[in-house]
């Protein structure tokens, strides 16, 4: 209610309006209305672009990629993820965001059965996660690589992919520490 009051106030502060748009985007995503979430994220992105706020733009593109991915609009999810990676080439971006974006881009390719592209992005994400010591993402990358290799083996009959899938499956298990009963 307070956020809506600020928005209704027609505040001239573009930074505040951008933050509110991002907040509404998250609200609508959690409420299950992905169309409204995406609309709010685009509004935030436009405001951040006008402000020249690289961090805000990065967050908006990241959220758009996730929202489009969740709604299974995979070509748009891929385009938005590529924008995140393009920003990361020009400006400092934390390694976790870049590694996770590579993995998310790989997932969008995976769901479109673009096995080679999925594997390439998963490898990029793995390399970035390993370089930054991001154990959780290293495990996720290995798991995703295993699945992509298994699917490519099934689809194309490339039996070397089965061996690669097995190796990544084992690497995923090794990357994640054993969980206690409390966490299972």
């Amino acid at each position: 209610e307070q956020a809506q009051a600020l928005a209704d106030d027609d505040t001239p502060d573009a930074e505040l309006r951008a933050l509110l748009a991002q907040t509404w985007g998250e609200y609508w995503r959690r409420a299950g209305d992905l169309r409204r979430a995406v609309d709010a994220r685009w509004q935030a992105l436009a405001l951040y672009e006008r402000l020249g706020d690289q961090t805000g733009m990065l967050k908006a593109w990241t959220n758009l990629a996730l929202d489009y991915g969740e709604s299974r609009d995979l070509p748009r999810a891929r385009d938005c993820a590529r924008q995140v990676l393009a920003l990361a080439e020009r400006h400092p971006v934390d390694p976790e965001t870049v590694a996770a974006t590579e993995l998310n881009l790989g997932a969008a390719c995976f769901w479109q059965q673009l096995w080679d592209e999925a594997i390439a992005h998963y490898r990029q994400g793995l390399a970035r996660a390993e370089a930054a010591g991001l154990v959780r993402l290293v495990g996720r990358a290995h798991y995703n690589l295993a699945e992509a290799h298994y699917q490519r083996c099934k689809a194309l009959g490339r039996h070397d992919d089965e061996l690669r899938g097995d190796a990544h499956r084992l690497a995923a298990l090794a990357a994640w520490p054993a969980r206690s009963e409390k966490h299972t």
Side-chain angles (χ1 to χ4, degrees), residues 25 29 33-43 45 60-84 104-105 107-108 111-112:
R29 184 192 69 78
D33 190 337
L34 293 172
R35 185 195 55 75
R36 289 174 91 178
V38 165
D39 289 347
R41 307 285 193 192
W42 280 112
Q43 181 183 12
L45 178 62
W61 280 118
T62 299
N63 288 328
L64 279 164
L66 294 172
D67 292 345
Y68 280 126
E70 194 171 322
S71 67
R72 291 293 189 238
D73 186 342
L74 301 173
R76 284 191 178 153
R78 291 172 60 201
D79 290 343
C80 293
R82 286 188 184 109
Q83 291 295 327
V84 172
N104 291 339
L105 187 49
W111 291 114
Q112 291 179 287

Side-chain angles (χ1 to χ4, degrees), residues 14-33:
E15 197 170 324
L16 179 58
R17 288 195 332 263
L19 181 60
L20 286 170
Q22 280 283 56
T23 303
W24 277 115
E26 185 60 16
Y27 171 81
W28 290 118
R29 184 192 69 78
R30 288 178 186 230
D33 190 337

Side-chain angles (χ1 to χ4, degrees), residues 2-25 40 43-45 47-48 50-51 53 56:
Q2 290 175 337
Q4 188 59 50
L6 284 171
D8 291 342
D9 198 18
D10 200 28
T11 179
D13 186 349
E15 197 170 324
L16 179 58
R17 288 195 332 263
L19 181 60
L20 286 170
Q22 280 283 56
T23 303
W24 277 115
Q43 181 183 12
L45 178 62
L47 290 164
Y48 286 130
R50 270 189 246 137
L51 291 167
D53 181 341

Side-chain angles (χ1 to χ4, degrees), residues 97-120:
T97 297
V98 178
T101 299
E102 285 284 3
L103 296 179
N104 291 339
L105 187 49
C109 293
F110 178 90
W111 291 114
Q112 291 179 287
Q113 300 178 2
L114 301 170
W115 313 123
D116 295 340
E117 285 184 58
I119 288 169

